Amino acid sequence: MEGFTGIMLILLSSILVNNFVLSRFLGVCPFLGVSKRVETALGMGFAVTFVMALASVISYLVHYYILVPLNIEYMQTIAFILVIAALVQLVEMALQKLVPSLYKALGVYLPLITTNCAVLGVAIINITKEFTLIQTLFNGVGAAIGLTLAIVLFAGIRERLELSNVPEAMKGFPIALISAGLMAMAFLGFQGLI
């Protein structure tokens, strides 16, 4: 996959076909935890997009310019987690200073981006698939957009469900899980796209 077409295929694939939440089931914690309001979900999506895009590129550079030359590729996971943790700290400080209301709304889920398996997963998948630096960037951005799309759509559904007449036994988390399952099934429709 070379050139513009290959990049667009990677981007589209990571957003729709291989959506990290709905297809690979990575990043479910913020998906379920921050999806009660669309605004909060969108804020989390932007934070994850920033972290995931930068973590993908920096992890690529760390892997190919530090770990491989030193022949310590086995340290990959630890190195990637350190990169992600540093980026999350940067985002956390910026949000606390610039958008304190969003910082409070995200609560514990903001520092949990550090242990979000979707962020680490995209960094490892980029190395495993031997993507170039540009492909790594677009796969990271696409995965983050896909995660954001899933969280925001789910938040919209959950907001509508609060106003719906749901049986008492299904209110809250049970109907949210059923909705998440139906969303995942709907995204399966994209499997034949690419």
Side-chain angles (χ1 to χ4, degrees), residues 43-146:
M44 175 59 101
F46 287 138
V48 169
T49 300
F50 176 78
V51 170
M52 200 177 280
L54 278 179
S56 294
V57 171
I58 295 171
S59 296
Y60 176 92
L61 296 173
V62 164
H63 180 78
Y64 286 108
Y65 294 104
I66 297 174
L67 301 179
V68 171
L70 295 174
N71 200 25
I72 55 172
E73 293 94 342
Y74 59 88
M75 297 290 289
Q76 174 184 22
T77 304
I78 294 170
F80 290 178
I81 288 173
L82 288 173
V83 166
I84 294 165
L87 290 171
V88 169
Q89 285 298 313
L90 180 70
V91 168
E92 194 171 1
M93 289 186 302
L95 283 180
Q96 189 174 16
K97 186 76 172 170
L98 302 172
V99 193
S101 60
L102 179 60
Y103 175 77
K104 286 180 183 177
L106 292 175
V108 71
Y109 293 101
L110 186 59
L112 282 178
I113 295 174
T114 302
T115 58
N116 187 336
C117 53
V119 180
L120 180 60
V122 77
I124 291 174
I125 287 170
N126 289 334
I127 300 301
T128 304
K129 289 192 174 186
E130 298 179 355
F131 283 152
T132 65
L133 182 60
I134 298 298
Q135 290 171 331
T136 294
L137 173 64
F138 277 91
N139 190 49
V141 168
I145 292 170

Side-chain angles (χ1 to χ4, degrees), residues 19-22 25-49 52 88 105-120 143-144 146-155 158 173 176 180:
N19 186 291
F20 271 74
V21 175
L22 301 172
F25 303 110
L26 297 173
V28 175
C29 180
F31 176 71
L32 294 173
V34 187
S35 60
K36 290 184 180 177
R37 298 279 168 252
V38 172
E39 298 81 21
T40 308
L42 202 54
M44 175 59 101
F46 287 138
V48 169
T49 300
M52 200 177 280
V88 169
L106 292 175
V108 71
Y109 293 101
L110 186 59
L112 282 178
I113 295 174
T114 302
T115 58
N116 187 336
C117 53
V119 180
L120 180 60
L147 187 96
T148 303
L149 176 68
I151 292 174
V152 170
L153 287 174
F154 191 52
R158 286 182 78 177
F173 207 62

Side-chain angles (χ1 to χ4, degrees), residues 13-25:
S13 172
S14 59
I15 294 172
L16 298 175
V17 179
N18 297 316
N19 186 291
F20 271 74
V21 175
L22 301 172
S23 159
R24 297 179 188 242
F25 303 110

Side-chain angles (χ1 to χ4, degrees), residues 181-193:
L182 292 172
M183 269 184 68
M185 286 173 48
F187 267 70
L188 280 175
F190 294 117
Q191 289 297 319
L193 188 65

